[in-house]
Amino acid sequence: MKVLTLNAHAWREENSDEKIIYLAAIIIEKDYDIIALQEVNQMTDAPLIDNSHLRSNNYMVVLLEEIERQGGPKYYSYWQSSKILRDYYEEGSCILSKTPIIEEMVFTVSQNAKHTSPKKRNIVRITTIHNGKLMDIYSCHLGWWYDEIEPFKPQWEAIYGHLRNDRLSLLLGDFNNNANIRGEGYDFLMEHGLWDTYALAKEKDNGATVQGEIAGWQGNQLDLRIDLILTSKKVEVMYSKVIFNGVHKEIISDHYGVEVEMIL
């Protein structure tokens, strides 16, 4: 199974029209089975599609259309919003799956559930079947360990309460905690019995998905490994590679992506 996670930054990126075309092309080239995206937005003034919550310029919708236009595979999809930014960006997360989605849900992990709060955090989850077994996929976008308003710890505990023991769970996304720092969010995740596909991988790079200063990491001068692909059970991982970093494919977001191939 080949999976990708990317904090897309979506329509907030410069030259976003060109970048989404490029992203679609790489998705087709790599032939991912599962894709988790965060910061996937739509404009609040765009028309709704068939009275759904999706709008015509929803980044996920446009990406799926572009994949189809380029002759790519069919993906089943699920997107839900988390919050409204600047009154005109509705931002959320999504999951794309080659196999049908048999269950979908969204749940709030932040203490503040107001849709206008910039710190609101929603998690999306789908259930699909791989090799005849149920599997849960999470697209995660969480807060910082030391955030005074919405810290990481209770948000992760809320996710942990949703994990199901009868199946494998894959947790992909922007965890906003540097895996290279001890005693903070990453170690807290590992204490809950999760497996990091980067640590399990037979082949890997330095894992850094943010370099320098971005929103939420003002003044940063470190290489951060904050975008992760975690599993609830130990699996065989062939490789873990950073992608869209200017070395392995072009940069398309303020975060780099992570791709993993595992044997399930």
Side-chain angles (χ1 to χ4, degrees), residues 30 88 104-105 115 119 171 178 195 229 240-241 256:
K30 295 288 187 174
Y88 53 87
E104 57 191 31
M105 73 173 296
H115 209 51
K119 292 183 178 290
L171 301 104
N178 188 2
W195 296 88
I229 298 177
S240 174
K241 297 179 182 178
Y256 308 149

Side-chain angles (χ1 to χ4, degrees), residues 214-229:
I214 64 169
W217 291 91
Q218 286 78 8
N220 174 61
Q221 297 181 352
L222 302 174
D223 290 347
L224 307 176
R225 188 165 77 87
I226 63 176
D227 298 87
L228 310 173
I229 298 177

Side-chain angles (χ1 to χ4, degrees), residues 19-50:
K19 290 176 178 178
I20 199 170
I21 294 170
Y22 182 74
L23 174 58
I26 302 305
I27 288 172
I28 295 169
E29 174 191 329
K30 295 288 187 174
D31 198 28
Y32 298 113
D33 298 288
I34 296 289
I35 301 165
L37 302 177
Q38 304 82 45
E39 292 195 25
V40 177
N41 50 38
Q42 61 184 12
M43 302 297 189
T44 56
D45 60 353
L48 291 169
I49 301 173
D50 298 329

Side-chain angles (χ1 to χ4, degrees), residues 15-219:
N15 304 315
S16 54
D17 290 337
E18 297 175 11
K19 290 176 178 178
I20 199 170
I21 294 170
Y22 182 74
L23 174 58
I26 302 305
I27 288 172
I28 295 169
E29 174 191 329
K30 295 288 187 174
D31 198 28
Y32 298 113
D33 298 288
I34 296 289
I35 301 165
L37 302 177
Q38 304 82 45
E39 292 195 25
V40 177
N41 50 38
Q42 61 184 12
M43 302 297 189
T44 56
D45 60 353
L48 291 169
I49 301 173
D50 298 329
N51 296 316
S52 71
H53 64 290
L54 296 170
R55 298 185 181 274
S56 60
N57 64 0
N58 181 285
Y59 186 87
M60 181 193 75
V61 171
V62 177
L63 176 61
L64 289 170
E65 291 172 348
E66 183 59 29
I67 292 172
E68 181 180 10
R69 189 189 70 81
Q70 294 187 33
K74 172 181 173 57
Y75 283 99
Y76 300 89
S77 60
Y78 180 55
W79 175 90
Q80 287 288 347
S81 66
S82 288
K83 54 200 171 188
I84 301 288
L85 298 174
R86 303 176 187 172
D87 295 329
Y88 53 87
Y89 280 120
E90 187 174 17
E91 182 181 283
S93 299
C94 75
I95 301 170
L96 309 182
S97 170
K98 275 191 177 178
T99 53
I101 296 172
I102 61 175
E103 181 182 285
E104 57 191 31
M105 73 173 296
V106 59
F107 56 95
T108 302
V109 296
S110 54
Q111 298 175 60
N112 191 332
K114 292 183 179 179
H115 209 51
T116 53
S117 170
K119 292 183 178 290
K120 183 185 177 187
R121 303 288 181 177
N122 278 354
I123 306 299
V124 300
R125 183 185 80 188
I126 68 162
T127 301
T128 186
I129 296 178
H130 181 74
N131 288 340
K133 296 180 180 180
L134 291 171
M135 180 172 57
D136 289 340
I137 315 292
Y138 294 76
S139 185
C140 306
H141 189 194
L142 299 175
W144 299 264
W145 182 250
Y146 289 113
D147 193 296
E148 296 180 356
I149 300 173
E150 291 287 353
F152 175 85
K153 186 175 180 180
Q155 294 179 8
W156 164 246
E157 290 173 336
I159 297 175
Y160 187 71
H162 282 84
L163 298 185
R164 299 190 274 203
N165 294 326
D166 63 337
R167 66 195 63 175
L168 176 67
S169 293
L170 304 183
L171 301 104
L172 304 90
D174 174 5
F175 288 81
N176 268 318
N177 279 263
N178 188 2
N180 299 319
I181 295 180
R182 304 280 63 83
E184 296 185 5
Y186 179 81
D187 286 351
F188 189 67
L189 289 168
M190 296 301 103
E191 288 168 5
H192 284 76
L194 295 182
W195 296 88
D196 184 354
T197 55
Y198 178 81
L200 294 172
K202 297 176 182 178
E203 178 186 347
K204 70 187 78 172
D205 48 26
N206 72 355
T209 59
V210 169
Q211 294 181 313
E213 182 174 326
I214 64 169
W217 291 91
Q218 286 78 8

